[in-house]
């Protein structure tokens, strides 16, 4: 897996700041062991589909994020609180928790 790093050369007080990009291949994932990551909903759902064979709703992922205290972005598509919101089943909750551990989110 190739990574791209961006480095800047120069002083922040000058207009002569130059950016350069460097492609490198990490030797191992040891340097990422203690880093908290943030996977997208799509990545989480695809991982659960491949590992557990379960179709996952973004609503369920958001509910478990709330339960774990993981920060979410602002949702502009909020309802009027007249409809019933389904709760995440225990089986899917365990799969989501496994995905969070896989992506180092918890």
């Amino acid at each position: 897996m190739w990574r791209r790093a961006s480095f800047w050369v120069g002083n922040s007080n000058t207009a002569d700041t130059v950016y350069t990009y460097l492609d490198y291949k990490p030797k191992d994932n040891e340097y990422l062991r203690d880093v908290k990551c943030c996977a997208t909903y799509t990545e989480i759902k695809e991982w659960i589909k491949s590992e557990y064979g379960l179709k996952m709703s973004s609503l369920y992922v958001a509910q478990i994020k709330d339960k774990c205290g993981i920060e979410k972005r602002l949702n502009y598509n909020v309802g009027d609180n007249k409809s019933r919101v389904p709760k995440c089943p225990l089986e899917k909750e365990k799969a989501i928790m496994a995905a969070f551990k896989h992506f180092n989110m918890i």
Side-chain angles (χ1 to χ4, degrees):
M1 172 172 40
W2 286 91
R3 300 272 184 193
R4 177 161 276 203
S6 173
F7 301 98
W8 62 273
V9 179
N11 189 333
S12 61
N13 296 330
T14 66
D16 298 335
T17 304
V18 177
Y19 291 92
T20 183
Y21 293 96
L22 172 68
D23 289 330
Y24 67 96
K25 188 171 184 176
K27 295 179 184 172
D28 56 10
N29 287 334
E30 283 296 312
Y31 66 98
L32 293 174
R33 188 168 11 125
D34 296 329
V35 176
K36 297 286 183 192
C37 295
C38 214
T40 64
Y41 283 81
T42 305
E43 291 172 339
I44 292 169
K45 292 191 303 186
E46 287 175 356
W47 186 85
I48 291 171
K49 181 73 172 173
S50 68
E51 292 294 316
Y52 292 90
L54 296 172
K55 268 191 102 159
M56 195 59 56
S57 166
S58 295
L59 171 69
Y60 293 156
V61 176
Q63 287 176 353
I64 305 304
K65 275 188 170 186
D66 282 338
K67 192 174 185 177
C68 294
I70 299 172
E71 187 176 332
K72 299 183 306 183
R73 287 189 278 170
L74 182 62
N75 182 7
Y76 296 103
N77 187 17
V78 293
D80 54 2
N81 294 329
K82 292 183 181 178
S83 61
R84 186 180 79 74
V85 178
K87 299 291 179 192
C88 182
L90 185 61
E91 176 188 12
K92 291 189 176 188
E93 181 178 342
K94 289 180 182 178
I96 294 170
M97 293 297 284
F100 288 170
K101 288 179 185 172
H102 172 76
F103 289 109
N104 293 329
M105 295 173 72
I106 55 172

